[in-house]
């Protein structure tokens, strides 16, 4: 069986689906090697996957130090953010290229996440290895054109890096080697990106989640507040977590709801609670298996990350999305298209606005009906199986060509 290298970069949501893909491929008999940064290695190691270092460290602490880079509402930061990412590319890409090149020495196939597709093109050009372009983000493949200031700036930087590495700046994606790990029931790809094969979402799982049980404190909270709201921004760092928390605590209080709060990379914690709230009506927690949790809440308030959103749909959970940047804006739009929740501007919404949206758009029978209908379609898919079959077919075609 072939040796497959999987590489990705970003936050937790950019890694967990690829760890699950690695586990799935390994169970099918393949040798899998995860080329990821140091902060994400424990995820792969815990899953029983081989790991090699690739790229600079990017974990919770690093994200929190640069929280403004995740906030795309402030146009005054736009140019500074572009310059910051160009500087990051110049520092990170040559290092990651060298490390990934070593990881692929005896490999048969390279699978690259969206932010690693430029490396896939360079490694493929350098070694001739077959590589597959993948993406978790349906937003990227719905734009009719990616010609904008950001992509132009990044492409100029990548061209310079390629030339410094002695390679041609060619960034073409192999047209029959591309996977979009999203459901066509959530969104379709535009004609320009029609060569991406939609497999359905890749859901990360851990074996002990099936038997997970709440501790006595959480169970007591759930007994007191039946079907509370959940506030979870996952691995999104925030510049002002105190104000964000206060807004949602006060809205939940007006609704007479309990509020479960996942700490996440925003580092929500009891010390940030406003003085005018009932601390017993708010419960802070680290990670709880989402399948268990989402079946016990009335709705989730989140940032619009595709992983959280897809898991909520799969569990018939209505949602309020407060997007901050990147693909979160498109994902929020799709929530409105499917009428499975509501969307709020995170820096403009008020307590009264949150209460109104939740009451009129989210905590309604029609919203619950719509998300159940979409959830049924999502649950019928097996994205990891379809992706694995596609990956194996690519390898077989490449082997035949090489002969």
């Amino acid at each position: 069986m072939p040796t497959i290298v999987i590489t990705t970069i970003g936050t937790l949501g950019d890694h967990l689906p690829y760890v699950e893909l690695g586990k799935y491929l390994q169970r099918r008999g393949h040798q899998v090697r995860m080329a990821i940064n140091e902060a994400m290695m424990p995820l792969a190691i815990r899953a029983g996957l081989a790991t090699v270092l690739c790229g600079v460290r990017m974990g919770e602490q690093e994200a929190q130090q640069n929280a403004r880079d995740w906030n795309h509402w402030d146009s005054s930061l736009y140019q500074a953010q572009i310059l910051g990412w160009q500087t990051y590319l110049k520092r990170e890409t040559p290092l990651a290229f060298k490390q990934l090149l070593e990881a692929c020495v005896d490999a048969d196939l390279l699978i690259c996440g969206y932010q690693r597709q430029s490396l896939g093109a360079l490694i493929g050009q350098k070694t001739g290895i077959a590589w597959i372009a993948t993406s978790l983000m349906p937003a990227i493949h719905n734009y009719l054109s990616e010609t904008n200031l950001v992509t132009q700036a990044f492409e100029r930087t990548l061209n310079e890096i390629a030339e410094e590495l002695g390679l041609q700046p060619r960034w073409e994606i192999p047209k029959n080697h591309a996977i979009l790990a999203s459901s066509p029931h959530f969104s379709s790809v535009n004609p320009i990106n029609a060569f991406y094969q939609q497999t359905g979402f890749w859901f990360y799982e851990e074996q002990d989640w099936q038997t997970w049980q709440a501790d006595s404190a959480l169970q007591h909270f759930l007994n007191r507040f039946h079907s509370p709201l959940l506030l979870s921004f996952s691995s999104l760092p925030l510049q002002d977590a105190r104000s964000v928390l206060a807004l949602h605590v006060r809205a939940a209080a007006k609704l007479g709801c309990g509020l479960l709060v996942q700490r996440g990379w925003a580092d929500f914690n009891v010390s940030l609670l406003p003085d005018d709230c009932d601390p017993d009506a708010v419960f802070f927690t680290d990670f709880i298996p989402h399948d268990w949790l989402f079946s016990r809440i009335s709705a989730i308030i989140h940032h619009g990350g595709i992983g959280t959103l897809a898991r909520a749909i799969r569990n018939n959970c209505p949602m309020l999305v407060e997007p901050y940047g990147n693909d979160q804006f498109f994902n929020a739009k799709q929530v409105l298209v499917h009428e499975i929740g509501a969307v709020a501007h995170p820096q403009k919404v008020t307590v009264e606005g949150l209460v109104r949206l939740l009451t009129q758009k989210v905590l309604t029978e029609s919203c619950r009906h719509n998300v159940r209908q979409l959830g049924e379609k999502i649950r019928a898919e097996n994205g990891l199986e379809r992706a694995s079959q596609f990956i194996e077919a690519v390898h077989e075609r490449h082997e035949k060509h090489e002969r």
Side-chain angles (χ1 to χ4, degrees), residues 111-293:
I111 298 173
C112 298
Y114 181 75
Q115 298 95 325
R116 285 297 194 211
Q117 288 182 11
S118 56
L119 276 184
L122 294 175
I123 297 290
Q125 182 185 154
K126 180 77 173 179
T127 67
I129 191 173
W131 71 281
I132 297 175
T134 67
S135 175
L136 308 174
M137 301 180 290
I140 301 299
H141 311 286
N142 277 269
Y143 303 139
L144 289 177
S145 172
E146 292 189 6
T147 302
N148 55 50
L149 291 176
V150 176
T151 54
Q152 289 174 2
F154 284 6
E155 187 168 333
R156 285 197 302 272
T157 303
L158 288 171
N159 289 347
E160 293 172 4
I161 293 170
E163 291 171 359
E164 290 173 2
L165 293 172
L167 297 168
Q168 296 296 314
R170 298 200 302 264
W171 312 112
E172 297 86 0
I173 295 172
K175 298 303 181 187
N176 58 344
H177 291 193
I179 296 174
L180 174 58
S182 175
S183 171
H185 299 296
F186 179 72
S187 65
S188 57
V189 296
N190 66 51
I192 295 175
N193 293 300
F195 58 90
Y196 272 85
Q197 300 297 311
Q198 283 188 276
T199 62
F201 295 110
W202 302 345
F203 290 104
Y204 176 78
E205 311 284 351
E206 291 190 13
Q207 188 172 359
D208 61 358
W209 287 0
Q210 297 179 4
T211 56
W212 190 90
Q213 296 292 324
D215 61 22
S216 59
L218 175 56
Q219 193 59 58
H220 177 75
F221 180 83
L222 292 173
N223 290 340
R224 180 183 176 191
F225 296 99
H226 180 68
S227 298
L229 294 168
L230 170 66
L231 176 65
S232 177
F233 284 174
S234 188
S235 52
L236 176 76
L238 294 176
Q239 293 169 280
D240 188 4
R242 182 182 298 275
S243 296
V244 172
L245 178 62
L247 178 74
H248 294 90
V249 166
R250 288 168 179 149
K254 280 188 175 292
L255 288 167
C257 295
L259 183 67
L260 268 170
V261 182
Q262 287 196 298
R263 185 181 73 83
W265 286 14
D267 195 23
F268 291 128
N269 63 79
V270 68
S271 72
L272 303 180
L273 281 174
D275 294 335
D276 59 351
C277 80
D278 175 8
D280 292 334
V282 184
F283 190 93
F284 292 92
T285 180
D286 287 313
F287 179 78
I288 295 175
H290 282 173
D291 291 340
W292 186 96
L293 179 59

Side-chain angles (χ1 to χ4, degrees), residues 43-63:
L43 297 173
I45 293 170
R46 190 165 68 241
L49 299 171
T51 62
V52 292
L53 184 64
C54 184
V56 301
R57 182 182 174 87
M58 172 55 71
E60 180 177 349
Q61 183 178 356
E62 290 76 20

Side-chain angles (χ1 to χ4, degrees), residues 230-386:
L230 170 66
L231 176 65
S232 177
F233 284 174
S234 188
S235 52
L236 176 76
L238 294 176
Q239 293 169 280
D240 188 4
R242 182 182 298 275
S243 296
V244 172
L245 178 62
L247 178 74
H248 294 90
V249 166
R250 288 168 179 149
K254 280 188 175 292
L255 288 167
C257 295
L259 183 67
L260 268 170
V261 182
Q262 287 196 298
R263 185 181 73 83
W265 286 14
D267 195 23
F268 291 128
N269 63 79
V270 68
S271 72
L272 303 180
L273 281 174
D275 294 335
D276 59 351
C277 80
D278 175 8
D280 292 334
V282 184
F283 190 93
F284 292 92
T285 180
D286 287 313
F287 179 78
I288 295 175
H290 282 173
D291 291 340
W292 186 96
L293 179 59
F294 287 2
S295 64
R296 290 166 170 80
I297 59 175
S298 58
I300 178 173
I301 302 167
H302 67 100
H303 61 303
I306 193 62
T308 302
L309 190 151
R311 183 81 66 166
I313 295 172
R314 192 174 80 159
N315 285 278
N316 303 333
C317 185
M319 64 194 77
L320 174 61
V321 177
E322 299 175 11
Y324 279 78
N326 298 318
D327 61 320
Q328 297 159 22
F329 299 117
F330 174 83
N331 298 339
K333 180 177 76 69
Q334 290 304 106
V335 167
L336 298 180
V337 167
H338 291 290
E339 298 181 337
I340 56 175
V343 176
H345 190 311
Q347 295 171 351
K348 292 184 178 180
V349 70
T350 63
V351 171
E352 292 72 20
L354 274 178
V355 170
R356 185 169 57 253
L357 283 171
L358 287 165
T359 302
Q360 298 178 6
K361 300 291 185 181
V362 180
L363 302 175
T364 67
E365 183 51 42
S366 63
C367 184
R368 285 189 284 269
H369 170 77
N370 292 338
V371 75
R372 281 196 300 268
Q373 294 286 99
L374 185 55
E376 185 177 356
K377 296 174 182 176
I378 298 301
R379 289 191 296 274
E381 297 175 325
N382 189 336
L384 289 162
E385 177 66 22
R386 288 194 64 190

